[in-house]
Amino acid sequence: MKTQLENIYKNAADDLEKASSINDIEEIRAKYLSRKGEFNEIKKGLKDLSDEDKRTVGALANEITRKLESALKNKYDEFYKKELNEKLEKERLDVTLPGKFTPQGHIHPLTSTTNEIVSIFQNLGFSVVPDEHSPEVETEYYNFDMLNVPKDHPARDMQDTFYTKVASNVLLRSQTSGAQIHAMEGKNPPIRVVSPGRVYRNENINARKNNFFHQIEGLYVDKDITFGDLKGVLNEFIRLYFGSSRPTRFRSSFFPFTEPSAEIDVQCIMCDGKGCRTCSGTGWLEILGAGMVDPNVLRGVGIDPDVYSGFAFGMGVERLAMLKYAIDDIRLFFNNDVRFLEQF
Ligand code: PHE
């Protein structure tokens, strides 16, 4: 048995000599030292020996096992270091290289402008409808019919409004004014809401106009609402939004759903009113349309125009942002050029 043990040790030592990786060492360990390894097989035979032999052979077996274990460990350490060094060499890192720069995102200037405008109106007592994003597809019913826009009104023309193929009466809304109807339907005054959203028009695109843009609709219906309230609220809005006095002008206008109607222009800051490409040489940019809600519109949603009156407005978010930050071209909002977006 002694010679058997010594032979096994010799074989193990030979194997170890030939080993060239940590993997080889694990194999050798399994072959000789595991529960099913060769040493264990031998040790099972110990029980048949005399007490005296058990002691000497047992001691030898233990000694050889220890020797083999320590040889394995030495080799293991050697290979471990070697393989680690090779790996470090191969995956060498230059810690002096500059790190990767992950730029921080920004809130889009139209989003922040919308938020700012909405919060001014919230402070004036208006609430926001609907709770979620308002749908950008509407039916003619909300976009035109209920807003007193006659069937033959040029605004319905294919040139202005994008119709869909879903059905002949389904369109991309050309204005947020449909929100007025949604806000009044089935509700009783007082109604005091703003409704932001995207609208679409088949426009020739230039520095002032894009074929989609953003509006914020406003509506205030109650007893005794007058044109004076409209002027007061909108002037207060302009004062709060621009923070400083800005030359503005109030022009009479026409909308089928308001009577009387007005538009507000703000002096162009790209040219200080002298006239440029952004304001098309006029020195002014229109920021909103407004007026007293037409009695026909109130009647349509079941509100008695002899008891209630109201005003409505729709403002252009891009125009308001352009006039605050001196952005001379509406297309800049939609190119997503980070050199532009980064400035906000
Ligand atoms: N909807 C009109 C437009 O898009 C603006 C407007 C809204 C006018 C509300 C009057 C009242 O031009």
Side-chain angles (χ1 to χ4, degrees), residues 174-177 180 201 215 217 255 257-258 289-291 312-314:
S174 61
Q175 52 185 356
T176 46
S177 296
Q180 291 182 38
R201 280 181 208 176
Q215 288 187 328
E217 193 77 13
F255 297 102
F257 36 93
T258 47
F313 56 85

Side-chain angles (χ1 to χ4, degrees), residues 117-186:
I117 297 170
V118 163
S119 98
I120 290 174
F121 282 103
Q122 283 175 318
N123 289 334
L124 292 173
F126 287 73
S127 44
V128 186
V129 288
D131 291 342
E132 290 164 16
H133 273 294
S134 50
E136 291 164 16
V137 279
E138 267 292 11
T139 51
E140 280 191 302
Y141 179 82
Y142 287 102
N143 198 77
F144 293 131
D145 295 344
M146 292 298 279
L147 288 164
N148 201 32
V149 183
K151 290 267 188 249
D152 56 359
H153 194 282
R156 292 204 185 196
D157 200 298
M158 294 291 289
Q159 283 176 356
D160 294 312
T161 307
F162 289 114
Y163 282 81
T164 69
K165 291 187 173 145
V166 180
S168 63
N169 66 334
V170 177
L171 43 81
L172 294 181
R173 63 176 172 188
S174 61
Q175 52 185 356
T176 46
S177 296
Q180 291 182 38
I181 307 302
H182 290 292
M184 289 188 285
E185 256 179 349

Side-chain angles (χ1 to χ4, degrees), residues 220-234:
Y220 187 3
V221 180
D222 203 351
K223 286 178 178 150
D224 303 324
I225 300 296
T226 67
F227 202 82
D229 295 311
L230 179 157
K231 276 190 98 168
V233 166
L234 292 178

Side-chain angles (χ1 to χ4, degrees), residues 18-193:
K18 283 184 228 135
S20 64
S21 70
I22 286 188
N23 237 345
D24 291 350
I25 290 178
E26 297 303 351
E27 271 168 28
I28 294 168
R29 193 193 301 281
K31 183 170 170 196
Y32 295 99
L33 293 177
S34 71
R35 243 172 5 102
K36 286 192 183 144
E38 296 195 12
F39 275 106
N40 243 0
E41 290 304 317
I42 294 278
K43 282 182 190 163
K44 280 181 195 159
L46 279 175
K47 65 177 186 316
D48 303 325
L49 298 179
S50 66
D51 281 356
E52 163 104 44
D53 285 351
K54 255 187 213 160
R55 219 173 296 130
T56 48
V57 178
L60 182 65
N62 284 340
E63 191 200 322
I64 288 179
T65 313
R66 261 199 307 275
K67 254 163 70 180
L68 189 54
E69 268 169 357
S70 97
L72 280 169
K73 183 174 182 307
N74 287 342
K75 269 281 182 213
Y76 182 95
D77 288 349
E78 188 186 307
F79 284 137
Y80 178 81
K81 265 190 214 140
K82 198 172 136 235
E83 287 179 17
L84 183 67
N85 277 333
E86 280 169 6
K87 207 169 153 193
L88 287 176
E89 195 60 39
K90 215 165 61 200
E91 298 170 8
R92 187 180 273 282
L93 282 182
D94 182 352
V95 293
T96 64
L97 280 176
K100 266 199 199 130
F101 175 65
T102 314
Q104 235 193 328
H106 295 251
I107 293 190
H108 193 280
L110 286 180
T111 306
S112 57
T113 303
T114 303
N115 292 345
E116 192 184 346
I117 297 170
V118 163
S119 98
I120 290 174
F121 282 103
Q122 283 175 318
N123 289 334
L124 292 173
F126 287 73
S127 44
V128 186
V129 288
D131 291 342
E132 290 164 16
H133 273 294
S134 50
E136 291 164 16
V137 279
E138 267 292 11
T139 51
E140 280 191 302
Y141 179 82
Y142 287 102
N143 198 77
F144 293 131
D145 295 344
M146 292 298 279
L147 288 164
N148 201 32
V149 183
K151 290 267 188 249
D152 56 359
H153 194 282
R156 292 204 185 196
D157 200 298
M158 294 291 289
Q159 283 176 356
D160 294 312
T161 307
F162 289 114
Y163 282 81
T164 69
K165 291 187 173 145
V166 180
S168 63
N169 66 334
V170 177
L171 43 81
L172 294 181
R173 63 176 172 188
S174 61
Q175 52 185 356
T176 46
S177 296
Q180 291 182 38
I181 307 302
H182 290 292
M184 289 188 285
E185 256 179 349
K187 295 192 192 71
N188 295 320
I191 294 164
R192 194 161 43 191
V193 294

